[in-house]
Amino acid sequence: MSRYGMVIDINKCNGCYNCFLACKDEYTGNDYLPYSVGQQNEASPFMKVTEKEMGKCPKVKVDYVAQPCFQCSDATCVKMATNGEVYRRPDGIVIIDPEKAKGKREIVNSCPYRVISWNETQNVAQKCTFCVHLLEKGAKEPRCVEACPSGALLFGDLDDPNSEISKNLAAAPAQELNPAYGLKSNVLYRNLPGRLIAGEVILEDRQGECAKDVKVTLKGDNGELSTETDFLGDFEFKGLPADKTFKLTVEYDDYKSQSMDIKTDTDKNIGEVLLASD
Ligand code: SF4
Ligand code: SF4
């Protein structure tokens, strides 16, 4: 049996909102019984995209976190149902039955992720269905996944070891958005927003030029990250854990390397790192 899921890579998302728009286009005013009734135009979207701003001017970054229903294996919305009005299909997709759920406004509050909305016109709670009506017609992926131009959303069968999504997860594990909820969600993330460390490298004897391709490493308790400065001489490390101390080292050919300890109690822009020639 299948167990459908999604892996969302925040680093691949460019904030174009195509997933949101494709979902709205699919569901606004369109009934797909027995799985969903037409969404109101002004209703909360089935695909929420939240923006997470990091850093301080002039080094500000924004990450976009797309959030459909997480199709949880231990879904509270299913557990709180009294009459099968919310149920989990054998393929793992969680459905709010539009007939049985009529008038049951309390369903909206059964999801800690707040991805269920209330449809005033239809008098029913609604959410993402993983586009089950399309999958049943043979579609390989939901509308939002198909619409993403940067491949940030990967959809497939988590129980099939040969599916692209299973191979992707076997190569490197992904994480739940909020594991503390204990819902065993089947939508997982890579590169979730965390703390930011950013800065700029200047070569003391070449101050009119941008210091491109300078090696910058960040050592922490769990290993080492490495990057190079871009064409402006800037570098950044995103998605770092909060309240940890890292050793940042900047090294370049015939220049004296620089090291410093940085604590991620907040996002850090360390400004200019000046490298003197050897
Ligand atoms: S994310 Fe919320 S609505 Fe979706 S299955 Fe989990 S508990 Fe239910
Ligand atoms: S899977 Fe379908 S219903 Fe869910 S967010 Fe994507 S387009 Fe919308």
Side-chain angles (χ1 to χ4, degrees), residues 69-72 75-77 94 110-113 115-116 127 183:
C69 165
F70 295 79
Q71 315 295 346
C72 314
T76 42
C77 59
V94 174
S110 67
C111 173
Y113 280 117
V115 294
I116 303 178
K127 66 165 194 69
L183 302 179

Side-chain angles (χ1 to χ4, degrees), residues 6-24:
M6 208 183 272
V7 173
I8 300 178
D9 190 338
I10 304 300
N11 279 0
K12 289 185 180 172
C13 175
N14 58 23
C16 70
Y17 282 79
N18 271 9
C19 56
F20 163 93
L21 291 169
C23 183
K24 273 283 185 192

